[in-house]
Amino acid sequence: MTLDQQTLSLATGIVVLTAGLLFVVETVFRRDSTTSRLWSLGYLAGILTAFSYLLWASSPSMWWAVAVGNAAFVVSAGAIWNGNRSYNGRRSYVEVTLLLAVITGFAAGIAGPDGGDWAGAPVWFGSVAVLAGLGAAETWRGALRKDVNARGLSVVLTVESLLFAARFVTYFAFGTSSYVFTDVLGTATASILTMVLMVVAAVSMSVLRSETSFAHARRRSTPVFTARRLVDDQSFQQVAADRLERAHNHDERVALLHVDLDDLETINTAFGRSVADLVITAYATTVRNGTPTSSVIGEVGAGRISIVFTEAQPGAGLSTATALRRALLDTDVPEAPGASLTASIGVATTEHFGYDLEPLHQAARRAADDASAAGGNRVSDAWLLEVSKRPDWH
């Protein structure tokens, strides 16, 4: 059976519209985080892309739809990349995405009515390949690297990047009329892959969003505890923000620790989900017992714990983190013989990052990611990490 371009465009549009609207509507009703809003922007741009290509397939006289569709496609890939960076606590580069989208749209639009299907194609292929590749790389960093549910997103973005890189190379090597370009890497292949990948991406993103409790739909009057007797992410943000505000009023020093359990995915693969849960429980218990009794301890993700407490004396945050690292090494889980509990711990204090929860929390997360990237089982000081990145640091 052979499907014409208009039928494929319509089918792709239906899939993109359905998956995209479900994700976007949920984001709106849950009033989600920056990460979810960026991912939703990716879906909205995808819907615009599908609609634009459907217009072009229905009526070639609307040549400008190719420019709009190509630019929207770039926005979609870039928004997902930026959403991944936000998830990992890193700065987003929306301006870079918008610049590439404008250049892509201009490259297609300047060809005018005679541009055809592949007007401005090299710029479009190259931009999407790069942005999707960056998005895929980001899924192997920070918090996304530690979450097995991000692997679906890794596959989607890797396949997308490879497809557009192959189209970019083939465009110059064989031309748009070659068999490789039209049949192997043509519209039919891209449309079918888009439908499959869109569903996988939607499922992966939805699970990631749900798992990390990014929702802030309704503020709770009392903290909600997880099964491991830690407060959940939303409750942690509320209680920690209140603790910081009161500490600021009394001019008290506060430390925030972000603790990431190392090799969680490896443990999950080697011993199975049930044993991995026991490991996480032992890990959480050790953290609870190793922190000051006045601490606010939040389970903010799979194997990720954040802790806020008042520093009785300068350097107490680093001392507590070091003691936690050692205590975890001494923790034994009989059900997982041979598995060592180690963690990457980031420490940020109000002395250097102020009393606002968001910058303090992000600084601790960046430090934990730095400790993890350095091999794990270590403590990283967020302030020293920031200072080391300054141009004048020696």
Side-chain angles (χ1 to χ4, degrees), residues 27 132 320:
T27 299
T320 300

Side-chain angles (χ1 to χ4, degrees), residues 116-151:
D117 292 0
W118 307 112
V123 178
W124 173 42
F125 293 156
S127 296
V128 174
V130 169
L131 292 174
L134 289 171
E138 194 65 35
T139 63
W140 294 100
R141 297 174 60 102
L144 285 173
R145 180 178 67 85
K146 295 177 178 293
D147 199 321
V148 67
N149 293 302
R151 298 292 73 80

Side-chain angles (χ1 to χ4, degrees), residues 352-353 381-394:
H352 297 119
F353 295 95
D381 187 320
W383 177 244
L384 291 180
L385 179 63
E386 292 287 329
V387 171
S388 68
K389 293 180 178 179
R390 294 178 179 176
D392 58 345
W393 184 80
H394 299 286

Side-chain angles (χ1 to χ4, degrees), residues 5-166:
Q5 182 175 333
Q6 185 173 352
T7 302
L8 282 172
S9 297
L10 179 60
T12 305
I14 292 173
V15 172
V16 172
L17 181 64
T18 302
L21 283 181
L22 288 174
F23 192 91
V24 171
V25 168
E26 188 178 6
T27 299
V28 172
F29 278 102
R30 294 173 64 174
R31 299 177 184 177
D32 261 355
S33 65
T34 300
T35 300
S36 288
R37 288 193 289 270
L38 285 167
W39 282 345
S40 294
L41 174 61
Y43 278 108
L44 289 172
I47 292 171
L48 177 59
T49 300
F51 181 71
S52 299
Y53 291 160
L54 181 60
L55 283 179
W56 163 247
S58 302
S59 178
S61 62
M62 290 187 279
W63 55 270
W64 47 266
V66 174
V68 174
N70 290 0
F73 206 124
V74 170
V75 171
S76 180
I80 293 175
W81 165 51
N82 282 294
N84 293 351
R85 288 182 61 86
S86 175
Y87 189 102
N88 284 335
R90 286 151 55 80
R91 177 183 179 274
S92 60
Y93 290 105
V94 177
E95 63 276 12
V96 174
T97 298
L98 294 178
L99 176 61
L100 286 176
V102 170
I103 294 173
T104 300
F106 180 78
I110 198 173
D114 299 326
D117 292 0
W118 307 112
V123 178
W124 173 42
F125 293 156
S127 296
V128 174
V130 169
L131 292 174
L134 289 171
E138 194 65 35
T139 63
W140 294 100
R141 297 174 60 102
L144 285 173
R145 180 178 67 85
K146 295 177 178 293
D147 199 321
V148 67
N149 293 302
R151 298 292 73 80
L153 196 55
S154 302
V155 171
V156 168
L157 294 172
T158 299
V159 171
E160 182 181 17
S161 179
L162 291 175
L163 172 64
F164 276 80

Side-chain angles (χ1 to χ4, degrees), residues 222 225 235 293 310 313 385 393:
T222 57
F225 288 84
S235 296
T293 55
T310 302
Q313 57 187 14
L385 179 63
W393 184 80

Side-chain angles (χ1 to χ4, degrees), residues 27 35 41 75 118 134 146 194 200 207-209 225 231 238-239 273 301 305 338 365 374 381 386:
T27 299
T35 300
L41 174 61
V75 171
W118 307 112
L134 289 171
K146 295 177 178 293
T194 298
V200 175
V207 172
L208 285 169
R209 175 168 62 181
F225 288 84
V231 297
Q238 291 179 231
V239 179
R273 180 67 65 95
I305 295 175
R365 280 188 64 171
D381 187 320
E386 292 287 329

